[in-house]
């Protein structure tokens, strides 16, 4: 449906603009996780971090995205838009 596609495109644009407001490290782990499809263990190896640190960065980044986007549905919206 064109209306659904337009809404999804707008949601993706908004999420990407919001992602740009995160710290560089948070941008990096979110991009690797949701756009690169990497598991936390793979992200940790790629960035030379402990797997728990990657999890903490992701948790903080998603919390910040929720705050910036104005609601708890932001994390779900992020995952849907990243597909």
């Amino acid at each position: 449906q064109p209306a659904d596609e337009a809404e999804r495109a707008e949601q993706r644009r908004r999420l990407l603009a919001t992602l740009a407001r995160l710290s560089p490290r948070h941008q990096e782990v979110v991009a690797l996780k949701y756009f690169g499809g990497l598991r936390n263990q793979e992200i940790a190896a790629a960035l030379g971090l402990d797997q728990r640190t990657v999890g903490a960065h992701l948790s903080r980044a998603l919390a910040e995205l929720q705050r910036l986007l104005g609601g708890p549905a932001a994390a779900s919206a992020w995952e849907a838009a990243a597909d």
Side-chain angles (χ1 to χ4, degrees), residues 3-22:
D4 290 339
E5 288 178 30
E7 182 178 329
R8 187 174 168 137
E10 174 57 24
Q11 185 179 48
R12 185 178 178 96
R13 185 207 58 76
R14 184 173 174 225
L15 288 167
L16 289 173
T18 305
L19 176 62
R21 296 174 62 188
L22 299 179

Side-chain angles (χ1 to χ4, degrees), residues 7-75:
E7 182 178 329
R8 187 174 168 137
E10 174 57 24
Q11 185 179 48
R12 185 178 178 96
R13 185 207 58 76
R14 184 173 174 225
L15 288 167
L16 289 173
T18 305
L19 176 62
R21 296 174 62 188
L22 299 179
S23 72
R25 176 63 79 186
H26 287 169
Q27 289 179 37
E28 188 171 36
V29 295
V30 167
L32 290 171
K33 177 77 170 186
Y34 295 104
F35 292 106
L38 300 181
R39 297 185 325 251
N40 289 11
Q41 181 179 7
E42 294 169 315
I43 296 168
L47 300 179
L49 300 172
D50 183 85
Q51 189 173 344
R52 292 179 303 251
T53 302
V54 170
H57 283 308
L58 284 168
S59 178
R60 289 183 192 122
L62 291 177
E64 182 68 2
L65 285 170
Q66 284 181 343
R67 187 187 70 73
L68 292 169
L69 291 169

